[in-house]
Each structure stands twice: as structure tokens, then as C-alpha cells.
Amino acid sequence: MRTFSDNTAAWRGVLRPRTSGSAPAVAPEPGPRPAARFPAALLPWAWAAGLFALYATVSVRRHLLIRTTGYDLGIFEQAVRAYAQLRPPVVPLRGEDFNLLGDHFHPAIAVLAPLYRIWPGPLTLLLAQAALLAVAVVPLAGWAAEVLGRRAAHAVALVYGLSWGIASAVAFDFHEVALAVPLVSAAVTALGRRRWRAAVLWAAPLVLVKEDLGLTVAAVGAYLVWKGPRRLGLLTAAAGLAASAVEIRLLLPAFNPAGGYAHGENLGEGAHGSLLTTIAFAPLDALRPDIKAMTLVLVFAPSALLALRSPLALLALPTLAWRMLSQNAFHWGTSFHYSAVLMPIVTAGLIDALRHWRTPGTATPGPVTPGPATPRPGTAGPGSGARSPAARHIRASLVTALAVTAVMLPSFPLAQLAQRATWRTGEHVAAARAVLARIPDGATVAATNRLVPQLTSRTEVVLFPSFPVRARLYEYARDRLPRPTAEWIVHDRHAPPAWPYHAGHWPYPPEQQAAELERAQRVYGYRKVAERDGITLLRMGPPRPPGAHG
């Protein structure tokens, strides 16, 4: 199949004048100047660069304002830090000797270890995530330019780049699914271009990003069985299902201290009492409570629901299924990072639905090839130009998708860039930095959730008050919290609100955190070293004499 760049090269040959032989040179026909053609190849990458700057600004400002969290940025930094030191990803924030591969199976995050070794710190993870999410626009914008034209490619890049699912991931720490987004984008566009082997090759690494993404690989295989080479599709589907099964049934329990799948309870019997009853009620449970139905609509809203007309939308089913059937309410809504992997699928579905209008009358239309009766993408031609019904439909659809994106933008975190608070470093942030600077490198520290990622690159940090997570995931035993053993405790009484939380005192209410801080001093022998603007620093044992360097 010829690509847009191939077609452009062909037109260059047609338009180039003859310069050899006895025949006089013929003046070239009017056409785009080289300066106009050159940016066409760079269009997707220009969008990637712009989106990277946008995402990086949001993430970095959030971290500098102490709005990132130990759960989850601190957890992933401890894992990547361990990989960078050629150690297993043991994460103290998740519990003593807790290997993070027993939580989710994501060995792919080890690819960030070389970067972290060069520049250790949470900003390395945040910038890497911004780059991964931004580069996912390249295959989408490139495909849109091929089949819909250059102007449409700009619209598609905006639909993806400003989508709420990507914005929610950008503004909540770092997560392994950032690695999956560009892989899914490349795989789904390869499917749309009918490049079957390329789709499989792009999808295959997903099994190393997270244990549920083997189901997405299986969905790619099912698409191939339906639309492409059946044998390759069957092998791909079987491999994806097998990978998820092995990871959930064997690998995750092997790394988990409890010997099981940490998140298995989220997909257990639920409120119905038995597995069979749960399966029977699954269609209804996928739509109730109402937040699930709202999320299902909003997932496809950036495409003005047109993605539902494309068979590529079926690739979203595995992720939507486990989220809607989960017992964890965090999975049902639009916050956090759970919808990021769906945005490339929805955007590709929009392109696929509209390209049928660009090449009407074909079952599986491919890129538009310029010819005597067919205009080049992005230009008007005789009888089928900008005034044709197909062109008007494509334009109206993209305008609608952009309008939906614009309407939703203020409700999600990219709009934070327009808020004054995002660009103002207040007294509380300055106080936090001054207090944290008194903690020496290499120390053991128990810190409240918002302060954890400010320390993970240079100290050994656990959460204060700590979870008793030796064997179970998120065990809220508030009457028997573990005794603090870290040398230092730092507590923020005025943790500021930050999206998506209205308060910064997770995981325990501020009253209980204050009581635990007082108990550390009264019962466990911690002494106050510093206090400023509600941030308290304690140290185990007697305080240093006046004038000693801390």
C-alpha cells in the first residue's frame, strides 16, 4: 500500500522539469513549493513536540507545587530507582520487602532506568510520561493526513492531545500505562491501514506493561480474524490470552507476599454472593451505578461518538469491561489514568469512520492516491472538492469533535494552566522546601503522602501514617497502625487540595494523622526538630545541640 509520503514523491516526479537531453526544459506545473511540502512530513512530530511541552508543563508545575503524591509517583520512582541500581523493584512505600511486580506486572518500566541513572528524580518519570503520551499522536496524525488531508490531521491531533483521558493521566503522577499509549496508538493505526504484521508487532510488548493488556492484544488478534489473516489473528489472540493468564495466575502470585493476585478482589464475586450470579448480572452491573454509564459515553465523546461506527472501537472492550465490572469505585469514573489507553483507540475510530466518506463505495478504503480524477489529500478537486457532501460531512464531524473537546476541557486538568494558582509559589511550598532540606541524604523518613515524592530520589521513604501492607493491599486497620521506625517523620497539616482529591490528607483523616504525630512524640520518643506553616519535622531520639548541622 502506498503511503502519503510515497504519493508525494510520485507527484514530485511528475512536476519536476526535464533537464537532460536535447528537448527544451518544460516549465513545471503549479504545485506546492518545497517549503510547503517539507512540513507535511514533520506535521505529526510538530504536534508531538507541542503536546510534550503542554503535558510537561502541567506535570512539572504540579510537582513543584507539592501536588504529586507518594501513591503513585513515589511508588514508581522507588521501583525505577531500584532498576537503575540493578536491584529488584522492592518498594518500601508498599511494605517491607515488597516487590512491586507482585502488585501489577509491569517489567517494561525498567526501560526508564537508564534515564533515571543519568538524571535521578521524580521529574525524570514525569517528563518521560509526557513524552510517551505526546508521541502517541504521531501515528494518528500521520494516518489522518494520508486519508483525510492535512487540515483534518490538525483537528485529529487536537482531539487526541486535548482529550480528557490523556489530561487525567498527565495530572496524576506517573503510571505504567504511559508506556502502553504509544504502543496502542501504533497498533490501532496499523490495523486501520491493514498492515497486519505491524499491528501485531506493536501490540506484542503490551503484555510487559500491565497484566490486563494481554486482553487488548487478544482483541487485536480477534480483529485480524475478522478483517485480516485468520491464522495470524488466532495466534495473536491465543498469545494475548495466555500472557494475561500466566501473569495473573503464576507470575504475580510468585512476587506477592500473600501469594495471590493483589487486585483479584476487585473482580471477585462482589455483592451477588457467587461467581455464576456475578456473571449473570454482569450486563447490568456494567451500567450501574450511573457513573459507569456516564463514563462509557464520555470515553467516546471526544470523537462525537463517531468512533462507535468503526470496528476499531472494539479494541476498547477489554479495558472497559474490567473497569465497569470492578468492585473498585475508582475504576468507574473519569479521574486518574485508567482512560488514557482508550484515547488512541477512540481517535483512530474517528479517523476510520470518516475515511469512508473520503473514499465512498469501498468496503475497506485505504489512503487516497492522487490521480487525474482524485485530488491529493487536503486539496479540492473537480466535482468532489470542499463543496461536496462528503467533504462537508467530514468537516462538520471534525468541528463537532473539536467542539466537544473544547466544552470538556475546563472540567479536566489541562485547564489548570489558565489558573493563577498554578503559576504562584506560595509560602506553604517555600516552608515545605525549607523543612525538607533539613533531612540528610540517605536517611530513613516517614512522610505524609504529598511530601513523599519530594524525598524519594535521595532518601528511603515510607508513608506516614503507614499502611500495614505486609500481605494485603490497602488494609485500613486504623486501630492498629504500625509503629514508625524511620529516623525522621515529616508531616504536613495543611496539605493543599489537588486534582482529583479535594483534600490532601489521604489515606487517613487529618484528625487521625495529628493524633499519630502526637503519639510518635509521646510514646515512641520522637522529638520536634522544626515546624513551619503547619509542616512538622520530627527525629527519633534526643534533638541535636544548638548550632549543630542537620
Side-chain angles (χ1 to χ4, degrees):
M1 185 186 303
R2 303 179 69 185
T3 64
F4 180 66
S5 59
D6 295 332
N7 295 332
T8 303
W11 273 90
R12 289 176 182 170
V14 172
L15 298 176
R16 187 181 296 115
R18 296 178 58 185
T19 57
S20 61
S22 58
V26 179
E29 298 179 14
R33 300 177 182 176
R37 290 196 303 267
F38 180 72
L42 296 180
L43 182 151
W45 293 101
W47 271 108
L51 293 176
F52 168 74
L54 176 67
Y55 301 157
T57 302
V58 173
S59 296
V60 170
R61 284 303 301 170
R62 190 171 183 269
H63 179 72
L64 296 179
L65 294 174
I66 313 185
R67 296 178 181 179
T68 51
T69 65
Y71 276 64
D72 294 321
L73 177 57
I75 287 176
F76 280 103
E77 185 181 355
Q78 287 185 340
V80 174
R81 181 185 181 187
Y83 282 129
Q85 297 172 353
L86 303 180
R87 296 186 290 107
V90 174
V91 175
L93 280 164
R94 286 289 283 109
E96 186 176 358
D97 298 325
F98 191 98
N99 190 316
L100 199 61
L101 292 176
D103 185 12
H104 287 298
F105 191 74
H106 40 48
I109 64 173
V111 301
L112 300 179
L115 293 175
Y116 190 88
R117 195 172 183 88
I118 296 171
W119 186 27
L123 293 182
T124 299
L125 273 65
L126 295 177
L127 292 176
Q129 175 173 261
L132 289 164
L133 296 177
V135 80
V137 79
V138 172
L140 295 168
W143 187 30
E146 288 179 11
V147 298
L148 299 177
R150 192 180 304 184
R151 291 182 180 179
H154 290 298
V156 166
L158 281 170
V159 167
Y160 165 81
L162 302 183
S163 62
W164 63 266
I166 298 299
S168 297
V170 166
F172 186 61
D173 297 358
F174 171 89
H175 295 90
E176 72 284 297
V177 295
L179 294 163
V181 175
L183 293 173
V184 170
S185 178
V188 72
T189 52
L191 289 177
R193 289 164 160 160
R194 301 176 66 83
R195 298 174 181 173
W196 310 125
R197 292 185 180 180
V200 174
L201 291 175
W202 282 114
L206 291 172
V207 301
L208 301 178
V209 177
K210 198 161 174 273
E211 65 276 4
D212 66 277
L213 289 173
L215 303 179
T216 300
V217 176
V220 170
Y223 188 94
L224 292 180
V225 171
W226 181 20
K227 297 285 188 178
R230 182 167 299 178
R231 182 177 181 182
L232 179 60
L234 290 173
L235 289 174
T236 303
L241 293 174
S244 285
V246 168
E247 291 167 4
I248 292 173
R249 301 287 294 179
L250 298 178
L251 297 181
L252 285 165
F255 288 111
N256 190 281
Y261 180 36
H263 300 270
E265 295 179 358
N266 290 335
L267 299 174
E269 296 176 355
H272 299 299
S274 71
L275 182 59
L276 290 178
T277 308
T278 299
I279 295 174
F281 279 89
L284 290 176
D285 289 339
L287 297 175
R288 59 186 184 187
D290 294 344
I291 188 175
K292 294 182 179 181
M294 181 185 72
T295 297
L296 290 174
V297 173
L298 291 180
V299 162
F300 295 97
S303 70
L305 304 184
L306 289 173
L308 293 171
R309 300 182 60 182
S310 167
L312 293 175
L314 296 175
L315 271 66
L317 284 180
T319 298
L320 289 174
W322 74 255
R323 286 180 57 190
M324 297 301 106
L325 297 178
S326 172
Q327 304 299 313
N328 187 341
F330 285 145
H331 296 156
W332 304 341
T334 56
S335 300
F336 310 109
H337 56 287
Y338 300 113
S339 297
V341 76
L342 299 175
M343 295 299 104
I345 299 174
V346 172
T347 308
L350 172 64
I351 300 170
D352 190 45
L354 293 181
R355 71 170 179 160
H356 290 267
W357 285 85
R358 188 74 179 187
T359 54
T362 57
T364 54
V368 178
T369 303
T374 306
R376 290 185 300 109
T379 63
S384 60
R387 297 181 180 179
S388 69
R392 288 198 299 268
H393 175 81
I394 292 173
R395 185 186 301 111
S397 298
L398 291 174
V399 169
T400 303
L402 289 173
V404 172
T405 300
V407 167
M408 298 177 68
L409 193 60
S411 300
F412 290 92
L414 294 183
Q416 292 175 1
L417 293 180
Q419 299 173 0
R420 290 185 179 180
T422 301
W423 305 101
R424 182 182 303 161
T425 302
E427 173 61 27
H428 188 77
V429 173
R433 291 176 181 169
V435 172
L436 294 175
R438 304 191 61 171
I439 301 175
D441 294 351
T444 58
V445 187
T448 46
N449 192 34
R450 292 283 171 79
L451 298 178
V452 164
Q454 308 294 322
L455 296 165
T456 39
S457 63
R458 63 183 186 89
T459 65
E460 294 296 331
V461 192
V462 297
L463 195 65
F464 178 84
S466 181
F467 278 122
V469 290
R470 293 180 182 87
R472 295 177 60 85
L473 180 70
Y474 303 149
E475 182 179 333
Y476 290 86
R478 296 185 177 182
D479 57 338
R480 51 184 179 87
L481 295 181
R483 172 176 179 163
T485 58
E487 182 183 2
W488 299 81
I489 293 176
V490 58
H491 174 268
D492 188 353
R493 189 171 69 249
H494 302 310
W499 189 93
Y501 295 110
H502 296 295
H505 297 284
W506 185 92
Y508 301 106
E511 297 79 10
Q512 184 174 8
Q513 293 201 28
E516 291 297 321
L517 188 69
E518 188 272 336
R519 187 182 182 193
Q521 300 174 77
R522 176 173 49 85
V523 178
Y524 300 129
Y526 284 84
R527 298 291 183 266
K528 185 181 298 185
V529 176
E531 185 172 19
R532 181 175 171 183
D533 200 31
I535 301 172
T536 303
L537 179 63
L538 306 181
R539 186 178 184 185
M540 183 180 290
R544 289 178 178 266
H549 178 68

